[in-house]
Amino acid sequence: MTGTIRPSDVYRARRRIQPWIRPTPLIASTALSAIAKSDVFLKLEHLQITGSFKLRGATNAVLSLSDTQSRAGVVAVSTGNHGRSLAHAATRVGMRCAICMSNLVPDNKVEAIRALGADVRIIGHSQDEAQKEVERLVAAEGMVMLPPFDHPDIISGQGTLALEILEEQPALDTVLVPVSGGGLISGVAMVLKAANPNIRVIGISMERGAAMVASRRAGRPVEVEELESLADSLGGGIGIGNQYTFAMVGEFVDDLITVSETEIAAAIRHIYWTERQIVEGAGSVGVAALLSGRVRDAGTVVTILSGGNIDMELHNQLIGAEGVTYCAVGRQWDDAHA
Ligand SMILES: *Cc1c(COP(=O)(O)O)cnc(C)c1O
């Protein structure tokens, strides 16, 4: 299956989506460079329109539909950022868009998607349950399902992020990529390895419910229990019938590592106070890996800050004045899991 997506698809995706997305800055972090004994750069993709990289894949997928498909409209299951991006991309071109999600998705994300004009449907406790409603809409109303990660046009769209990184910093040694279903890291790693096979691509997930890590360990896609996490955008399975991302991660990704809730909380706090950015949990896992010493002496490192759509009440709690606040919030969840 991996043969069906190529770097040339990513170049085509880039030309297609270029008028609709924003190139995002790459900035050096002196603080993280010192801590990790590396040259660390942050890819500020949380500044993307809609607040995450998912606009890249969603826009590429919407613009790749036939006229007949475009008239029927698109439907997706989403933990938030895919839904938000798809709603934005579809609404821009006047296309109908229904978004299905589980009740674990935070309210700020639900409202943001509704405000974009999408028909939001909240079903069940997991992404897999919400997926059943998508299948119903496809069968009953002929809508086109666009999944959040396991689709060639989505993966190619996400891969455009790597083209930007290579232009901004060609002398790369290591790239840290947040991983959930693996659409982002599949596209990014394929492009990076084609440019230079010596670039190390490391995927980062949260300890609580890392489906790709469990699947790689099992040697096949497996289900994991969905748990609440500060990195809520990394929740959900990779799909038992996974067609693309599991194999692509196996082919292109050097290592998968996990970080704890306490480490994610510390990273959100560091990114705010030291880097002066507001980034959600999922977007902070690479920084968590650097701060905790899991990645060090890694040469020129780029870590992708993949999204910024965090509930601001939670963010406010995490950056709180008392030095121990972040530990309290993170540890609560680490302890519940121990
Ligand atoms: C979706 C998402 C991820 C993970 O992307 P996958 O393609 O599912 O691996 C990481 N960070 C943010 C902010 C996301 O929205």
Side-chain angles (χ1 to χ4, degrees):
M1 270 309 191
T2 55
T4 58
I5 306 172
R6 295 181 182 84
S8 58
D9 297 317
V10 181
Y11 283 96
R12 260 193 296 279
R14 190 185 206 187
R15 284 195 294 275
R16 203 177 280 130
I17 71 176
Q18 189 266 329
W20 304 94
I21 66 134
R22 164 189 297 162
T24 54
L26 188 76
I27 63 161
S29 168
T30 43
L32 287 170
S33 296
I35 291 166
K37 303 196 185 323
S38 308
D39 281 324
V40 178
F41 293 82
L42 309 175
K43 176 66 171 166
L44 307 186
E45 187 67 8
H46 63 296
L47 302 180
Q48 187 53 261
I49 302 163
T50 72
S52 84
F53 72 88
K54 285 216 174 59
L55 188 65
R56 295 172 184 266
T59 302
N60 189 44
V62 162
L63 295 178
S64 301
L65 295 175
S66 70
D67 290 348
T68 316
Q69 289 173 319
S70 299
R71 273 192 295 277
V74 292
V75 56
V77 65
S78 176
T79 58
N81 283 334
H82 174 59
R84 183 186 287 225
S85 298
L86 193 62
H88 177 91
T91 315
R92 276 291 181 92
V93 298
M95 200 184 291
R96 184 181 167 213
C97 175
I99 302 294
C100 308
M101 60 182 78
S102 86
N103 62 14
L104 291 181
V105 177
D107 289 347
N108 65 320
K109 294 197 171 182
V110 177
E111 285 317 312
I113 291 168
R114 213 167 254 146
L116 287 166
D119 171 11
V120 175
R121 299 170 187 222
I122 297 173
I123 319 274
H125 309 288
S126 73
Q127 206 157 299
D128 292 340
E129 283 177 71
Q131 180 65 33
K132 296 213 169 69
E133 172 68 3
V134 171
E135 280 151 23
R136 199 192 61 76
L137 283 170
V138 170
E141 302 181 29
M143 298 180 85
V144 178
M145 180 188 77
L146 288 176
F149 53 86
D150 203 27
H151 186 289
D153 296 329
I154 299 287
I155 294 167
S156 302
Q158 319 305 29
T160 63
L161 193 49
L163 296 178
E164 272 180 37
I165 292 173
L166 284 166
E167 281 161 18
E168 291 162 325
Q169 179 51 267
L172 281 172
D173 294 302
T174 309
V175 178
L176 308 182
V177 189
V179 176
S180 175
L184 175 62
I185 201 169
S186 292
V188 164
M190 175 184 67
V191 168
L192 293 175
K193 291 291 184 182
N196 175 1
N198 295 326
I199 297 172
R200 268 182 79 71
V201 182
I202 302 177
I204 328 270
S205 302
M206 73 294 199
E207 283 169 7
R208 290 170 59 83
M212 189 61 82
V213 174
S215 298
R216 178 125 134 175
R217 207 169 283 143
R220 65 186 163 84
V222 293
E223 285 188 60
V224 294
E225 190 193 347
E226 224 177 304
L227 301 163
E228 220 181 317
S229 167
L230 289 172
D232 54 283
S233 292
L234 300 186
I238 69 165
I240 294 303
N242 187 292
Q243 288 189 66
Y244 300 98
T245 62
F246 178 71
M248 290 179 80
V249 167
E251 184 173 352
F252 299 119
V253 175
D254 296 285
D255 207 358
L256 291 178
I257 62 180
T258 59
V259 292
S260 72
E261 296 301 308
T262 314
E263 288 163 349
I264 295 168
I268 291 172
R269 200 177 157 83
H270 170 93
I271 290 167
Y272 179 78
W273 289 107
T274 306
E275 314 297 340
R276 301 175 178 234
Q277 304 290 329
I278 294 174
V279 174
E280 62 177 283
S284 308
V285 294
V287 170
L290 291 164
L291 282 177
S292 66
R294 280 184 171 71
V295 175
R296 60 185 301 153
D297 299 313
T300 299
V301 179
V302 168
T303 183
I304 298 174
L305 307 187
S306 53
N309 292 319
I310 187 168
D311 181 305
M312 289 308 286
E313 304 272 356
L314 173 62
H315 191 269
N316 194 42
Q317 206 182 336
L318 291 168
I319 61 161
E322 316 86 61
V324 293
T325 306
Y326 73 90
C327 288
V329 176
R331 257 187 220 140
Q332 218 171 293
W333 288 348
D334 282 332
D335 289 350
H337 192 52

